Structures are given as C-alpha cells and as structure tokens.
Amino acid sequence: MILHKGDILFRQGDEGNYLYHIKSGLFKVTRLHENGNIVLFNILYPGETVPHHSLISPQDAHGTAIALIKSEVEMIPAQKWYKELEEDPAKTMDVARLPQEKVRFMQERLDHLTIGTPAERLELLSGWLGRHANGAPLTEYLTQEEIGQFIGVRRETVNRLLRHHN
C-alpha cells in the first residue's frame, strides 16, 4: 500500500486488526491527550513492524501514524500474524528483534537529547531523518513545534535556530 504525505496509516484508538511493515518512507506518531494537547512521540522508519505494543498480542493503537513523505507499507492481518507466531517458534525470535531495534533507536534519540546545544541536537535530528527522507529538508515534513518536541526546546528556539542555519 502506498501512502502520501499527510495520509493516515492508523488512528489513535483503532482496533488492532492489522500490523504494518514499513517498507519505505517515514511516519510521525502523535497522541491526543485528554487535555487537548497533541504530542509527537515517535517516528516510524523503514524496516519497522508496528504497532510495537501489538507484536505479541493485540491492543488498540496508542497514537495516530501520519505519513511524512511518500511511503510504502505492507498490511499484515493481525490474526494471521499471531497464528504464525504460535506455529513457528523461529518467528518469535524475529519478533523479539523488532523492539530491540526500536530500543536502540530510542537510545540514540536520548543521546541526541543530552548532547550539547540545541543547534547540535537539531543537526543530529536533521541528519538522521534526512537519511530516511530522500534528502527533503526537515521543515518540509515536521512543524517547528514538532521539531521542538523532538529536540527538547520551544518552537521559538527552533525558529531562531532555523533562521541562523539558513
């Protein structure tokens, strides 16, 4: 399945009828909180199978996944996925490796958040996402607010950093 920028892969609260293997592209995952705040909390990239919290058992989607660029995704019926897990012990190890890779990504992201200045963090984020976004500038697919959430600064700081960077 091909999704274009702005297309929704799944919505917060959707039943876990499918898992999705990201073949190409990028997705942001946002969560709407009861107080109305929408927070960017994850980026999905090629090679991932998501939702992560449903790899072993089904659960409603924790957030909304929105394509940041043109992306290709394989839809996997959840019941088929879980049946294969039960029948093929080797697949269980494959599934165990999936969140391991995400934990390594999160460790890298934490390192980025604790490194140096906001300008350095912006550069690290831009470089990492650029490898997956076919060279598209960061501001073509994330808002300044979202960039700020991801590097731990306010939108105004992102605005200043981007002006200085150009």
Side-chain angles (χ1 to χ4, degrees), residues 69-118:
I69 60 176
K70 182 179 177 184
S71 303
E72 183 179 358
V73 176
E74 175 188 359
M75 290 178 64
I76 306 165
Q79 292 310 314
K80 177 182 180 226
W81 175 269
Y82 299 130
K83 184 173 171 58
E84 288 175 4
L85 277 179
E86 288 177 11
E87 294 173 352
D88 183 1
K91 185 167 180 154
T92 305
M93 279 306 292
D94 291 339
V95 169
R97 287 183 188 97
L98 295 171
Q100 172 182 279
E101 290 305 314
K102 193 60 176 190
V103 167
R104 289 178 178 162
F105 162 75
M106 296 306 289
Q107 288 172 326
E108 182 180 0
R109 290 288 310 125
L110 286 172
D111 284 347
H112 289 182
L113 281 173
T114 57
I115 269 179
T117 67

